[in-house]
Amino acid sequence: QQQVKQSPQSLIVQKGGISIINCAYENTAFDYFPWYQQFPGKGPALLIAIRPDVSEKKEGRFTISFNKSAKQFSLHIMDSQPGDSATYFCAASMFVSGSRLTFGEGTQLTVNP
Amino acid sequence: DGGITQSPKYLFRKEGQNVTLSCEQNLNHDAMYWYRQDPGQGLRLIYYSQIVNDFQKGDIAEGYSVSREKKESFPLTVTSAQKNPTAFYLCASSTRVKSNQPQHFGDGTRLSIL
């Protein structure tokens, strides 16, 4: 019930293409869904986050789509750039547990020039 | 600049030895967390602390111990009871424990067995 399932495990996209990473969860008590970006040898950094009262949130080239009924959310990276090559993690948390996050397994994104 | 400092960046442990990983934050955050990262497994929560002198076990606490004597500091000890300690360890912090606030991460400590 606490798991967050992430796919694909790895993704290769051409420069200028759209990168799509998907996550699914079981626990309907989750009410905060952040995405983190991690470069090799560094800690994850918050990229964008959404709450379940909205279906989409966009920040620059990054968009989260949220489907509450399907218990799924996804990250879309438009006009993908080689600098976007990193590992991306989705996560989820519940208000009642404070900021304790449950992470997906991660997606290694490679954007070819 | 405010942030989270983890040290050392690389650490080697001999068999039967305890080692301590340091985590310091100057963000004035209430909550602090320790995660373990293994390839293909995401981040798994080891311990977390919501206030000074209080901490709770996460999902994989066995073989680890922590203390929270100061708001700024949350050291993690990897004990000899942890049989597979080789991993990348990440410390994080966040504000306002009872609301969903983003976690800020340090740049990690990579622990290896000698």
Side-chain angles (χ1 to χ4, degrees):
Chain A
Q1 267 242 319
Q2 295 293 327
Q3 286 185 322
V4 176
K5 292 291 187 182
Q6 184 172 345
S7 63
Q9 192 172 26
S10 63
L11 180 62
I12 299 174
V13 173
Q14 291 300 118
K15 179 182 175 181
I18 302 174
S19 304
I20 302 174
I21 304 170
N22 301 299
C23 284
Y25 63 97
E26 289 296 323
N27 191 340
T28 55
F30 284 142
D31 58 8
Y32 176 69
F33 302 90
W35 284 88
Y36 283 83
Q37 180 188 55
Q38 184 181 29
F39 293 104
K42 297 292 186 180
L46 179 67
L47 191 61
I48 186 173
I50 198 168
R51 301 186 191 278
D53 53 345
V54 297
S55 60
E56 186 175 282
K57 183 174 182 180
K58 184 176 181 180
E59 291 184 1
R61 296 184 294 109
F62 301 92
T63 300
I64 299 179
S65 297
F66 186 82
N67 187 330
K68 190 173 182 178
S69 60
K71 292 185 286 186
Q72 296 176 347
F73 58 110
S74 60
L75 175 69
H76 295 234
I77 305 174
M78 311 301 287
D79 187 26
S80 298
Q81 299 297 312
D84 296 331
S85 298
T87 300
Y88 293 81
F89 293 95
C90 62
S93 68
M94 296 179 280
F95 178 81
V96 293
S97 66
S99 298
R100 177 174 174 167
L101 289 168
T102 298
F103 283 87
E105 300 91 341
T107 296
Q108 188 167 348
L109 172 65
T110 301
V111 181
N112 288 328
Chain B
D1 283 339
I4 299 176
T5 301
Q6 290 189 242
S7 62
K9 192 169 179 65
Y10 300 96
L11 188 58
F12 298 92
R13 195 192 88 170
K14 295 179 181 178
E15 294 287 342
Q17 186 181 45
N18 294 351
V19 292
T20 297
L21 284 61
S22 171
C23 179
E24 303 277 334
Q25 55 100 357
N26 60 5
L27 298 167
N28 198 33
H29 283 170
D30 301 302
M32 297 187 73
Y33 311 81
W34 274 106
Y35 293 91
R36 170 179 171 139
Q37 185 173 21
D38 296 282
Q41 294 193 47
L43 281 70
R44 293 182 290 168
L45 184 64
I46 305 172
Y47 269 98
Y48 64 106
S49 168
Q50 299 177 339
I51 57 173
V52 175
N53 293 322
D54 185 51
F55 49 83
Q56 289 80 40
K57 293 182 179 180
D59 300 319
I60 56 166
E62 187 175 348
Y64 301 96
S65 66
V66 294
S67 63
R68 185 88 186 273
E69 298 177 1
K70 299 187 297 181
K71 187 176 184 179
E72 306 78 27
S73 178
F74 191 41
L76 173 74
T77 297
V78 184
T79 74
S80 57
Q82 173 50 245
K83 298 307 178 187
N84 183 24
T86 298
F88 190 48
Y89 291 87
L90 288 159
C91 178
S93 70
S94 67
T95 188
R96 299 191 63 194
V97 170
K98 288 299 184 182
S99 62
N100 289 318
Q101 295 293 319
Q103 292 187 15
H104 301 260
F105 284 82
D107 280 339
T109 292
R110 191 165 298 278
L111 176 63
S112 302
I113 293 268
L114 277 179

